[in-house]
């Protein structure tokens, strides 16, 4: 199968998945548990992506300046700092860690 064939098959699959989601009855979507899960799935997926990008390097786990930056971001988020401060704080901590390590 060529690359274009795989792209077309993936596109059709995504369209059918979207169609299946739109076909779900409203009474199912109105349940509080379903609404809560739907709200938390994007957060969980983003957290998993961040964890993989920070702690992964190919097939190995690494602990470097990125991990320290993520730790600083978590601390600033717990302290309820504004988003820009979290981003800049994490960047500064990671840059200082790279400079010192």
């Amino acid at each position: 199968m060529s690359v274009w064939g795989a792209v077309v098959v993936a596109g059709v699959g995504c369209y059918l998945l979207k169609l299946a989601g739109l076909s779900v009855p409203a009474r199912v979507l109105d349940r509080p548990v379903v609404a809560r899960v739907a709200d938390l799935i994007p957060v969980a997926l983003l957290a998993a992506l961040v964890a993989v990008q920070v702690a992964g390097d190919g097939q190995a786990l690494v602990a470097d300046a990125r991990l320290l930056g993520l730790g600083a971001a978590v601390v600033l988020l717990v302290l309820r700092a504004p988003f820009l401060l979290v981003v800049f704080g994490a960047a500064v901590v990671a840059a200082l860690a790279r400079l010192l390590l």
Side-chain angles (χ1 to χ4, degrees):
M1 177 186 284
S2 70
V3 174
W4 282 108
V7 169
V8 169
V9 168
V12 169
C14 288
Y15 177 75
L16 291 175
L17 186 61
K18 178 74 172 178
L19 186 62
L22 293 173
S23 301
V24 175
R27 61 182 167 79
V28 173
L29 298 175
D30 289 339
R31 295 180 185 163
V33 173
V34 174
R36 182 78 174 141
V37 168
D39 287 342
L40 291 178
I41 283 177
V43 175
L45 290 173
L46 183 59
L49 176 65
V50 167
V52 167
Q53 291 298 316
V54 167
D57 185 23
Q59 295 290 328
L61 290 175
V62 293
D64 59 3
R66 297 176 295 176
L67 196 58
L68 291 174
L70 179 63
V74 168
V75 169
L76 289 170
L77 285 172
V78 168
L79 295 175
R80 304 194 53 85
F83 180 72
L84 287 177
L85 183 62
V86 172
V87 172
F88 287 125
V92 166
V93 167
L96 288 175
R98 285 177 194 237
L99 184 66
L100 297 175
L101 296 178

